[in-house]
Amino acid sequence: KTLQLFDEPPNFRVTRIGDVAGAEACGALKNIVALGAGFVDGLGGSGGNTKAALLRVGLLEMTAFCATFFHGIDQGTFLESCGMADLITTCYGGRNRRCAEAFAKALPKFQTKDSQACDKLWSDIENKMLDGQKLQGTLAAKEVYALLESRQLLDSFPLFRTIYEIAFNGKPVELITDGIYVKPPTSLLSKL
């Protein structure tokens, strides 16, 4: 009702949706996908098709994750501004994408690429690029990975798994395509 009190300018529109859980999940999960988009950008020369494929698979995994772990999610939420529009915006210009691009460019220079080295690199990038702000994608990636691992569902979410393994296990950034081009299991697609 508070939003109804505001006059919308002609170039701005507020859409209310009832799916609070879906909107919040989209807000967290899109940051993980944005890390992947930054990895693609950091490779250089991968082109728009690779990034578009990453967004497509990312949206698919976001939708499947919500269908797996939340009851009553409205599938239409993923086509709202809090879903697809926010995903696109974040994957093309957000801080998670920008920092992941810097990570992708810096990672090959590290001799040791274990979880401690990766955590330090993320911290250094955050401190250098974000002026006190924090990345949400790295935290979300850790939490989502832990949940999927505990439920033995990592193979059902190849993009989320690959993003985590690059970000925290120091796997080569070039492996981001493994998460994009692996066909998700039929069991995952049946949840959509």
Side-chain angles (χ1 to χ4, degrees):
K1 291 188 177 199
T2 303
L3 291 176
Q4 291 173 341
L5 299 175
F6 295 103
D7 288 330
E8 290 182 3
N11 61 347
F12 183 77
R13 183 172 159 230
V14 175
T15 305
R16 294 182 301 142
I17 62 169
D19 184 8
V20 175
E24 289 181 355
C26 284
L29 297 172
K30 55 111 178 176
N31 291 317
I32 300 171
V33 180
L35 295 178
F39 294 157
V40 168
D41 290 343
L43 289 173
S46 292
N49 287 336
T50 303
K51 194 167 183 179
L54 181 126
L55 268 72
R56 182 189 64 78
V57 173
L59 184 63
L60 174 66
E61 289 195 15
M62 289 168 58
T63 306
F65 184 89
C66 289
T68 301
F69 293 105
F70 299 98
H71 296 289
I73 296 289
D74 179 359
Q75 296 296 315
T77 299
F78 298 96
L79 300 177
E80 294 288 346
S81 294
C82 64
M84 176 62 88
D86 201 16
L87 176 66
I88 293 168
T89 299
T90 302
C91 289
Y92 278 89
R95 65 179 171 254
N96 289 283
R97 189 220 55 85
R98 286 186 289 114
C99 289
E101 181 179 2
F103 181 92
K105 290 177 179 177
L107 187 63
K109 299 173 188 166
F110 277 68
Q111 296 298 324
T112 306
K113 297 175 184 161
D114 60 12
S115 62
Q116 287 180 327
C118 290
D119 282 338
K120 179 168 181 359
L121 180 54
W122 283 116
S123 180
D124 291 347
I125 289 169
E126 242 182 14
N127 291 335
K128 181 180 177 184
M129 295 180 68
L130 297 184
D131 197 28
Q133 291 183 334
K134 294 291 182 187
L135 290 172
Q136 293 85 30
T138 53
L139 298 173
K142 286 181 177 182
E143 291 175 4
V144 165
Y145 185 90
L147 177 60
L148 294 174
E149 184 177 43
S150 73
R151 303 283 175 93
Q152 299 178 342
L153 291 171
L154 287 172
D155 289 341
S156 295
F157 295 86
L159 181 60
F160 287 168
R161 182 191 67 229
T162 302
I163 290 169
Y164 176 89
E165 289 172 348
I166 292 168
F168 300 106
N169 294 344
K171 286 202 170 184
V173 179
E174 294 79 13
L175 294 181
I176 190 63
T177 56
D178 289 356
I180 299 170
Y181 298 118
V182 172
K183 184 177 178 185
T186 308
S187 61
L188 176 64
L189 297 174
S190 68
K191 294 178 185 274
L192 304 179

